[in-house]
């Protein structure tokens, strides 16, 4: 029985063809795995062989998996090269699926392939991915489960902003008044940020405020005046270290409970670079 790789690399393993075409098996690494990132390094991408996938009719895919670290996000992808025995065709391959990262038995992040989630910080992760590899032109179609261990040492970036709320529980058939506090702790960037709140539309939840910096988002084609009562968007422009902004809102819940999630978008100064912002998850309000 093949053993699960334990040496450092981004991801390792193999996938399966549809059950009628192939016998399940773990893939084995075909090259020396890449070294882990070093503390203090900037963002980087680590790639390593993940395994060779074989089908019952000569289908073959050599899969590598790459993980980017050292930025606010952990990005996972799974590129592959494909061929089929007896066919002289230069295939291109598409890999899709989902991945989950665990550490000490606890789920830290999940996402799609390719995809990114908040970087949990340095450490050793057990990663499981369900993948499908297909070729163009058609001829190779492999799917299955991949498991491996990933160790990264890039430090987690120090938070620049924070969002807190004075209570986290809503009650059905009631209106709850809450105060969100948005804080900027970094000298970098500027005082601009956007706080967004959104509930579950189907429950009839309503989010309102008297704060002139906030609006319920407008939807529909012009000249529609329809606004989303279950969502709120606040433009903050005076965030400074030592000077947080506060927003008071009212959340009205009917007989059907709704959670309310929040997020903050903000700028980070990098001259005229296009992608200079960040996104931060705020508190989630539960309902009883």
């Amino acid at each position: 029985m093949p053993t699960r790789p334990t040496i450092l690399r981004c991801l390792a393993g193999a996938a399966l063809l549809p059950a009628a075409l192939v016998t399940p098996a773990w893939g084995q690494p075909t090259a020396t795995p890449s070294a882990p990132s070093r503390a203090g390094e900037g963002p980087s991408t680590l790639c390593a062989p993940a395994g060779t996938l074989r089908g019952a009719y000569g289908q073959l895919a050599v899969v590598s998996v790459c993980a980017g670290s050292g930025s606010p996000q952990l990005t996972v992808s799974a590129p592959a090269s494909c061929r089929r025995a007896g066919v002289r065709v230069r295939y291109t391959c598409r890999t899709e699926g989902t991945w989950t990262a665990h550490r000490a038995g606890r789920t830290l992040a999940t996402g799609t392939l390719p995809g990114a989630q908040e970087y949990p910080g340095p450490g050793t992760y057990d990663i499981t991915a369900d993948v499908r590899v297909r070729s163009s032109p058609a001829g190779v179609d492999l799917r299955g489960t991949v498991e491996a261990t990933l160790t990264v040492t890039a430090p987690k970036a120090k938070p620049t902003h924070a969002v807190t709320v004075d209570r986290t529980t809503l009650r059905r058939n009631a209106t709850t008044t809450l105060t969100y506090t948005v804080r900027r702790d970094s000298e970098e960037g500027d005082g601009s940020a956007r706080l967004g709140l959104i509930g579950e539309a189907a429950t009839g939840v309503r989010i309102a405020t008297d704060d002139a910096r906030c609006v319920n988002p407008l939807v529909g084609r012009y000249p529609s005046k329809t606004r989303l009562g279950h969502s709120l968007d606040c433009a903050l422009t005076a965030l400074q270290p030592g000077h947080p902004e506060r927003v008071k809102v009212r959340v009205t819940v009917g007989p059907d409970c709704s959670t309310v999630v929040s997020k903050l978008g903000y700028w980070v100064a990098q001259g005229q670079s296009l992608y200079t912002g960040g996104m931060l998850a705020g508190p989630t309000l539960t309902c009883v």
Side-chain angles (χ1 to χ4, degrees):
M1 177 178 178
T3 58
R4 177 180 167 214
T6 56
I7 53 180
L8 304 182
R9 62 184 169 279
C10 296
L11 289 173
L16 314 178
L17 272 173
L21 300 181
V22 71
T23 301
W26 290 115
Q28 297 299 312
T30 57
T32 302
S34 55
S37 57
R38 296 190 297 272
E41 288 184 346
S44 62
T45 300
L46 303 176
C47 294
T52 300
L53 319 183
R54 301 178 186 274
Y57 303 103
Q59 305 95 329
L60 183 145
V62 178
V63 182
S64 294
V65 175
C66 302
S69 66
S71 71
Q73 293 185 315
L74 176 68
T75 304
V76 177
S77 61
S81 61
C82 302
R83 67 178 183 267
R84 187 167 181 170
V87 178
R88 294 189 176 183
V89 175
R90 297 182 68 88
Y91 290 111
T92 58
C93 290
R94 172 179 177 172
T95 304
E96 58 190 25
T98 60
W99 59 274
T100 304
H102 304 270
R103 183 168 62 193
R106 175 171 167 262
T107 300
L108 294 183
T110 62
T112 58
L113 289 170
Q117 294 292 333
E118 181 181 357
Y119 177 49
T124 298
Y125 306 101
D126 295 316
I127 299 180
T128 301
D130 295 318
V131 300
R132 183 180 185 183
V133 181
R134 290 180 290 173
S135 66
S136 178
V140 177
D141 191 343
L142 306 168
R143 68 170 73 221
T145 300
V146 172
E147 291 186 4
T149 299
L150 161 68
T151 296
V152 292
T153 57
K156 187 174 182 178
K158 185 178 180 181
T160 61
H161 295 68
V163 182
T164 58
V165 67
D166 60 349
R167 63 187 66 192
T168 58
T169 303
L170 306 172
R171 295 192 176 277
R172 68 181 72 221
N173 296 313
T175 296
T176 305
T177 300
L178 311 103
T179 299
Y180 282 85
T181 300
V182 180
R183 197 178 71 239
R184 172 181 157 217
D185 298 322
S186 174
E187 299 292 338
E188 297 182 352
D190 58 35
S192 298
R194 296 187 69 172
L195 174 67
L197 311 177
I198 188 166
E200 300 171 59
T203 66
V205 63
R206 292 292 181 263
I207 307 175
T209 183
D210 296 324
D211 196 315
R213 299 170 297 178
C214 305
V215 296
N216 295 102
L218 184 68
V219 293
R221 182 183 293 272
Y222 179 84
S224 171
K225 304 294 184 182
T226 303
R227 294 185 179 272
L228 297 180
H230 65 281
S231 180
L232 194 68
D233 186 6
C234 303
L236 311 178
T237 59
L239 281 176
Q240 294 175 294
H243 180 74
E245 294 270 28
R246 292 179 175 84
V247 179
K248 183 175 289 187
V249 303
R250 299 182 302 277
V251 180
T252 301
V253 178
D256 296 324
C257 259
S258 171
T259 58
V260 174
V261 300
S262 58
K263 56 186 175 181
L264 182 77
Y266 57 89
W267 290 100
V268 176
Q270 290 182 8
Q272 292 184 320
S273 297
L274 178 60
Y275 300 104
T276 63
M279 186 68 73
L280 174 69
T284 295
L285 309 182
T286 58
C287 177
V288 295

